[in-house]
Amino acid sequence: MNNARRGMLGFMTSGLATLTLGGGSTAHAESAQSALRTLIPEGTSTLSLLNQSLEKTPRRRDFKSVPMILTHPDEWDEEALRLVFQYQGQHKQVFDNVVLDGPWLNLMRNTLNTQIWAFGHKDFLVVSGTHGPAHLALYDDYLWEKYQLSQLTQGKFKDNSFLKVSAAAQTDPAQYEDITGAFSPLDNSIPVLQSRGVVFLACHNAIFELATRLHKSDVNPDHRSIPQLAAELTNHLIDGAVLTPGVMGTMPELGARGFYYAK
């Protein structure tokens, strides 16, 4: 494994963790902590190139208000999404992930393990089409605390535990059969999967629906409008997420480009 890369795998804990580019119209999220080492296998030029390109690609995170339906590419991560669309690897799969407390992270990890070591497809790309309740995992700790997002999980999650990296991530990646290692069920976290090249797509529709729900429930300490709430939610997506105008509407675009669908 190549341990030299420093990726965008930290978590934004506030809107101050962004670097404004292009006269304030675009933000490029900087890692809030030292990045995890890459767990992408050596000899994977196609996947490594995508990963490196995504790291360098700006994400706009300076929204003040967003509409219900996005119509212009500058309202989502168009450049980053285009890189995913254009991925040249032959083997690629998009997962329809909607259940927060389901096995979605474990399924993606198992799929990667099978494709890489059983079938030898080192450039296998996994894309998480994240929406519905599962989308809560794509908000940073700041939002979880401010908007009491744990209450939306019926007490199943007190915080965004999906971002917590276990000690297993620090084991020797050459020992891929280690049942307590980086590729084991002990390491089902979003940052570790990102370090393996998994791309997490964020859903504008899920964001707007959550903003509407928060507005109706009066969990709105700044008394923001729904479009303003949606903007703040967008600005606090986790580091590395790729915002789409809507995950379900984006999946046909991925299918047309050779991505296999998994539910």
Side-chain angles (χ1 to χ4, degrees):
M1 298 291 177
N2 173 15
N3 296 333
R5 180 178 65 89
R6 294 175 61 84
M8 289 169 46
L9 300 174
F11 321 131
M12 288 200 315
T13 55
S14 78
L16 296 178
T18 59
L19 173 65
T20 302
L21 302 174
S25 64
T26 308
H28 188 182
E30 296 290 351
S31 179
Q33 66 177 34
S34 296
L36 290 168
R37 60 187 171 182
T38 182
L39 294 175
I40 296 175
E42 289 184 351
T44 56
S45 58
T46 308
L47 185 57
S48 295
L49 178 60
L50 172 66
N51 207 42
Q52 293 163 10
S53 298
L54 286 173
E55 288 176 4
K56 298 175 183 177
T57 302
R59 312 284 206 273
R60 182 177 176 182
R61 298 293 184 264
D62 63 346
F63 292 99
K64 304 300 182 184
S65 176
V66 293
M68 181 177 69
I69 301 173
L70 304 187
T71 57
H72 301 288
D74 62 353
E75 295 172 331
W76 63 87
D77 295 332
E78 191 273 337
E79 185 179 352
L81 185 58
R82 182 162 23 94
L83 289 173
V84 177
F85 285 164
Q86 295 174 347
Y87 182 63
Q88 296 300 305
Q90 180 181 357
H91 306 284
K92 46 198 175 184
Q93 190 166 22
V94 56
F95 283 76
D96 185 353
N97 291 324
V98 67
V99 182
L100 181 66
D101 60 342
W104 58 300
L105 298 178
N106 191 65
L107 289 174
M108 291 190 291
R109 179 190 58 81
N110 277 333
T111 299
L112 276 170
N113 290 350
T114 301
Q115 283 286 319
I116 292 171
W117 287 294
F119 296 117
H121 301 152
K122 294 182 178 181
D123 275 327
F124 185 73
L125 172 63
V126 167
V127 172
S128 174
T130 326
H131 60 119
H135 204 272
L136 292 175
L138 299 190
Y139 299 117
D140 64 20
D141 292 333
Y142 172 83
L143 278 189
W144 270 71
E145 181 177 354
K146 179 175 181 178
Y147 290 105
Q148 305 169 37
L149 298 185
S150 61
Q151 295 185 7
L152 302 180
T153 72
Q154 289 75 50
K156 294 178 180 178
F157 301 95
K158 295 181 179 180
D159 55 24
N160 193 351
S161 58
F162 301 95
L163 302 183
K164 295 180 179 178
V165 178
S166 74
Q170 304 306 319
T171 59
D172 182 1
Q175 305 301 318
Y176 60 85
E177 294 283 13
D178 183 355
I179 62 174
T180 62
F183 309 113
S184 76
L186 297 181
D187 224 354
N188 288 333
S189 74
I190 288 176
V192 170
L193 286 172
Q194 286 178 312
S195 75
R196 299 186 67 181
V198 176
V199 178
F200 285 81
L201 300 184
C203 177
H204 167 72
N205 292 330
I207 291 171
F208 206 87
E209 289 167 4
L210 177 57
T212 302
R213 183 172 181 177
L214 293 173
H215 191 268
K216 288 181 178 179
S217 66
D218 293 326
V219 184
N220 185 9
D222 300 324
H223 307 289
R224 299 179 187 270
S225 66
I226 293 173
Q228 289 171 337
L229 279 169
E232 185 177 21
L233 295 175
T234 301
N235 294 340
H236 286 274
L237 291 170
I238 64 169
D239 204 11
V242 177
L243 177 64
T244 71
V247 159
M248 289 305 295
T250 300
M251 284 190 182
E253 301 296 318
L254 292 166
R257 293 165 172 82
F259 282 80
Y260 291 97
Y261 173 85
K263 177 66 175 177

